[in-house]
Structure formats: structure tokens, C-alpha cells
Amino acid sequence: MDRLLVTGGARLAGTVRVSGAKNAALKHMAAALLAPGRSVVRNVPRILDCTLMGRVLEHLGVPVTWEGDAVSIDATTLTSTEAPYELVRQMRASIVVLGPLLARAGRARVALPGGDEIGSRPIDLHVHGLAKLGARIRTEHGFVVAEAPDGLRGAVITLDYPSVGATENLMMAAVAARGTTVIDNAAREPEIADVADLLVAMGARVAGAGTSTIEIDGVGVDAFHPVEHATMPDRIESGTWAAAAVATRGDITIAGARADHLDLLLGKLADAGATVDRTEDGVRVRQAERPTAVDFVTLPYPGLATDFQPILMAALAVARGTSIATENVFESRFLYVDELRRMGADIRTEGHHAVIRGVERLSAAPVRALDIRAGAAMVIAALTADGRTSIADVHHLDRGYEDLERKLTTLGAEVRRDGEPVVVPDPAAAR
Ligand code: EPU
């Protein structure tokens, strides 16, 4: 069985150390394909998605070894240029091997990811951009096949929408092209700048990553050397702990969190009544009273991340007053709301808006984790509920949160997996 049992009522308190950013580490691992030799990515979270990315790389003939939080990727030779459906199906982010694989090998065949519980996940922007770089692209038998036998050439690409994955795929391809590429209306998420930092350390020339115009001076496919790079802290995990502090009226110090990546979220939590302090090495979030309602709107960075939407909703489900949430990034990211309703939340959705009437207390119920962040929302809701909530499909949480039960337990939550008690760790060793 695949369940997390969470008993509500505890006010979470203490220090938790945030892990490396899933959504940067996955791309760092893919970028390692560009350089023959052994690259090492540090601060990689030990989560299912990173394991799956390792499997994708191994399928390409690239050995991947783990030592603590360091992943060593030996891309000396590639023996395949295909990412199979079986792996892509389990993790859509596998699509980011398309750009570096095409750049390095002149050919890539990657299974089409398909949709999921948060929306249809098209890759048209990835494909159009790579075609602008000179790749010949077709889809056949459920795969996207890209070829550039004579290499890629620089181009001006204006994205219709600042897609994170498309920006990264194009950046990882364009670094190896001949000539200059400009990506306009690029995604500005902090992870993009972190991926660019690794590429630059590898020998690429990239300017403007983290802004909406990225300029890449292509250095050709033979210019890359292996690197060592440490992944940035996970801002979504940081925000999850911040919201958990607010929902449970707790006091959590999030060690390693970058407050500058969390401006809007922390502002919303302060509006809900939280006291937010920057510490030497992170952020401390305290909530004395029941949170008050706040409205929020998700947007590409620097807007409020869509990944925070379920997490904030769970906290606002027990707020005083009525909040309005607007989801602008993924078309069906409210599906999990039915699960919150099963716990007594008073939430109505209409298109991409949700109206959340805060209730005094949620009530424990059997629920499901529909995706990573919906799963985190269920955990937060369960922490505020009376009784023990059973969260099924917890593998979604394992995809994105490292050591979740141990971290929760360290903060005073009562959590068990499949009825087995979690070993309480030495707080001094807590990360
Ligand atoms: N889109 C298109 N065409 C494309 C690409 C995207 O229409 O070719 C649309 C999508 O359908 C969606 C929107 O653009 O409506 C945003 O998608 P984007 O490409 O920016 O997202 P992504 O790269 O697929 C990453 C994160 C997500 C996060 C989003 C938005 C990774 C592995 N995933 O996805 O993280 O929600 O950016 O910030 O980096 C998570 O961690 O739980 C998660 C879902």
C-alpha cells in the first residue's frame, strides 16, 4: 500500500533544512549530456523524479552514480538517442533531454509526454524553437524525432508564452549551435539562471538567463567540458514549509531557503497574519492566530508560482474569511479541490477561479495525492484536521519531496507511512 497517515493538531515548530531544487536538478542532470566526461551535480534531492532522470540518462548509455546528494554522470559516450515512453510516462520532465541530446548527437527521439492531472502538457513551444534552430522535427508513433545532422544554427526565437521547459530545452540546444541565439519572452524562473550557470561553467556563453531575453553565443558541440555544480535550494519546498507554518499556527525556520525567491509568497503569508523574518541562513515563519483570508493569482515568475496554488489553498481553507484564487498557468490545476472538500473545505471553483470560504477546522478523511503539489496540499490540510487523514497515492509526494516524513516528524507532526512508525531522527542531524 502506498499511503501516508497524518494526525492533525500539532503546531509545527522547529528548523527544517530545505533540499536542492527538483526543477533545477533535473535539468542539470540533462545538461550533463552535453559534455563528454564525468560531470558531478551536488545538492540533488533523493527523490523519485531525480532517480527517473538517472534512468533516462542510463538508457542513453550514460552511467549515473549517487553518493549522498551528489550525482555523478559519465557522458563520455552515448549509446542511444532515445527516451522511451515507459520512462517519459513516469516523468514528463524527461522532455528536457531533447535539446541537449539533439545538440550532442545530432538526433533525438523522445516519447511525447501527454497530459496529466494538472493539464494538457503540450510541447509545441519546444518543437517550434528547435525547428528555428535548424532541426528537422516530426512526430511518429508517439515520439518526437528531431534531427540536425549538420548541427544547429543560432536564431531569434520569440516564445508565445514563457514556458520553463521550452526555455531550458532551447537554451541547452542553442549553446552548441553555430552563431547567436536570442530567446525572447523567455521564462524567468530562478531555476533557469541556475541551469545557465551550469552551462557557462561547462564552457557555454549565456547572458540574461533569469530575464525575459536570453542571449546565447553558440560555441559548437565540441567546446564543452564536464563540470561540478551545486543545485540551488528548492523554493517550492521552502514555500511548502512556510505555508505549513501558517496553516498549523506554527513556528518554522526554513534553513537554506532563499527569501529573494519567495517574495510574493511570503508577502501573501504576511497578509494572512504571519510574521516573516529573514535569518542568517534562511527564513523563519511564525503564525500566532488563525490565518486571515487573502486573494492570490498565479503567474509565471516573478509572479506567484502555480506550484504554490494548492499549498496556499490548503492553508486558506482554515482561514478567517473568504479568499479568491486565480490559476493562470495550468488549465486543470483545481482537480484536487474535490479531495480538500472531502475534508470539509468549503471551496467552489468556476473556470480558473476558486472561492475559498475558510472553515474553523477540517475533518480527517481518506484522500488521494493527485500530483506532487496537490499531495503537499493534502498533507497541510491533514495537519490542521481533527483526527487521522489517510493520503493515498503518496508516490506523488515521493516524486518531489525529499525525506518528507522525517522532516515533518522533526517539526512535531505525527506521520506514519502504511501504518509503520517513522523513526524519530536526532534533531541535530535534521536537514
Ligand atoms: N505550454 C505550452 N506549450 C509548450 C510548453 C508549455 O502550451 O510547449 C504551457 C503548458 O501547457 C502550461 C504552461 O505553458 O499551461 C506552463 O508550462 P511550462 O512549460 O512553463 O511548465 P513545465 O516546464 O512543464 C515546470 C515545472 C512545473 C511548474 C511549471 C511552471 C519542471 C520539471 N516542472 O513545468 O513544476 O509548475 O514549470 O512553473 O520544471 C512541480 O514541480 O510539481 C511542477 C509541476
Side-chain angles (χ1 to χ4, degrees):
M1 273 195 306
D2 186 19
R3 293 184 311 155
L4 202 64
L5 305 175
V6 181
T7 304
R11 298 174 77 153
L12 297 197
T15 298
V16 66
R17 178 157 288 278
V18 70
S19 300
K22 166 179 86 79
N23 291 345
L26 289 170
K27 326 304 167 62
H28 288 150
M29 291 175 73
L33 287 172
L34 283 166
R38 195 172 67 91
S39 288
V40 178
V41 187
R42 300 192 186 281
N43 204 28
V44 177
R46 294 292 283 249
I47 51 173
L48 189 55
D49 272 11
C50 291
T51 305
L52 288 167
M53 182 57 88
R55 289 208 191 125
V56 172
L57 300 183
E58 288 192 323
H59 187 89
L60 302 171
V62 172
V64 174
T65 48
W66 292 75
E67 204 179 311
D69 68 2
V71 184
S72 166
I73 299 159
D74 185 351
T76 304
T77 45
L78 308 187
T79 57
S80 164
T81 52
E82 178 175 308
Y85 180 60
E86 197 38 43
L87 290 170
V88 177
R89 184 179 68 79
Q90 295 176 64
M91 191 193 49
R92 280 161 192 80
S94 311
I95 191 70
V96 294
V97 299
L98 183 61
L101 201 50
L102 174 66
R104 167 89 186 265
R107 185 175 200 279
R109 191 167 185 269
V110 179
L112 288 163
D116 64 6
E117 300 286 6
I118 63 177
S120 90
R121 309 282 294 266
I123 55 159
D124 53 314
L125 301 172
H126 306 232
V127 166
H128 290 154
L130 291 174
K132 277 225 148 183
L133 293 174
R136 285 198 311 268
I137 309 212
R138 62 183 191 279
T139 54
E140 60 179 29
H141 309 301
F143 282 80
V144 52
V145 182
E147 286 167 330
D150 302 323
L152 298 166
R153 53 179 153 67
V156 175
I157 303 166
T158 303
L159 293 176
D160 286 354
Y161 179 92
S163 152
V164 172
T167 302
E168 290 163 338
N169 241 335
L170 296 174
M171 201 164 66
M172 290 190 279
V175 288
R178 287 186 307 276
T180 301
T181 295
V182 177
I183 307 174
D184 246 326
N185 198 24
R188 288 180 278 170
E189 272 67 3
E191 290 78 10
I192 307 273
D194 200 18
V195 174
D197 285 348
L198 177 141
L199 292 170
V200 168
M202 219 176 221
R205 297 210 194 111
V206 183
T211 76
S212 52
T213 304
I214 303 178
E215 208 175 305
I216 298 154
D217 202 0
V219 291
V221 69
D222 299 320
F224 300 107
H225 49 81
V227 281
E228 283 209 26
H229 181 85
T231 299
M232 61 181 266
D234 196 311
R235 65 194 167 95
I236 311 298
E237 187 202 343
S238 304
T240 305
W241 295 120
V246 169
T248 64
R249 299 177 216 175
D251 178 354
I252 302 182
T253 298
I254 309 154
R258 292 265 311 254
D260 55 327
H261 292 165
L262 293 163
D263 277 345
L264 275 181
L265 178 80
L266 295 175
K268 288 290 168 192
L269 296 179
D271 291 347
T275 305
V276 177
D277 296 306
R278 289 177 186 226
T279 63
E280 209 173 283
D281 173 37
V283 179
R284 179 178 177 192
V285 179
R286 282 173 285 168
Q287 179 85 22
E289 308 286 337
R290 184 176 169 195
T292 47
V294 286
D295 298 342
F296 71 92
V297 175
T298 67
L299 281 170
Y301 197 86
L304 187 77
T306 171
D307 291 334
F308 290 139
Q309 182 257 104
I311 291 158
L312 270 174
M313 289 264 265
L316 294 173
V318 290
R320 192 186 304 281
T322 299
S323 313
I324 298 176
T326 304
E327 169 61 49
N328 286 318
V329 178
F330 285 108
E331 62 187 10
S332 25
R333 213 168 191 174
F334 283 143
L335 288 182
Y336 72 92
V337 165
D338 282 340
E339 301 297 306
L340 282 181
R341 281 203 199 101
R342 304 195 69 258
M343 298 180 70
D346 183 352
I347 305 177
R348 276 192 312 142
T349 59
E350 175 87 37
H352 62 129
H353 301 290
V355 179
I356 309 129
R357 291 197 179 83
V359 297
E360 179 89 39
R361 189 130 207 224
L362 296 176
S363 80
V367 292
R368 287 170 55 212
L370 294 192
D371 69 84
I372 303 175
R373 310 305 168 188
M378 291 309 136
V379 172
I380 292 175
L383 289 167
T384 71
D386 60 346
R388 194 170 73 169
T389 294
S390 148
I391 305 172
D393 295 341
V394 73
H395 58 274
H396 284 298
L397 280 160
D398 297 337
R399 289 184 45 204
Y401 288 92
E402 183 179 50
D403 277 348
L404 181 66
E405 293 132 88
R406 189 171 66 78
K407 290 182 180 182
L408 281 166
T409 307
T410 302
L411 295 172
E414 208 180 313
V415 186
R416 290 158 182 244
R417 185 178 285 243
D418 292 337
E420 293 298 317
V422 173
V423 179
V424 181
D426 170 6
R431 346 174 318 117

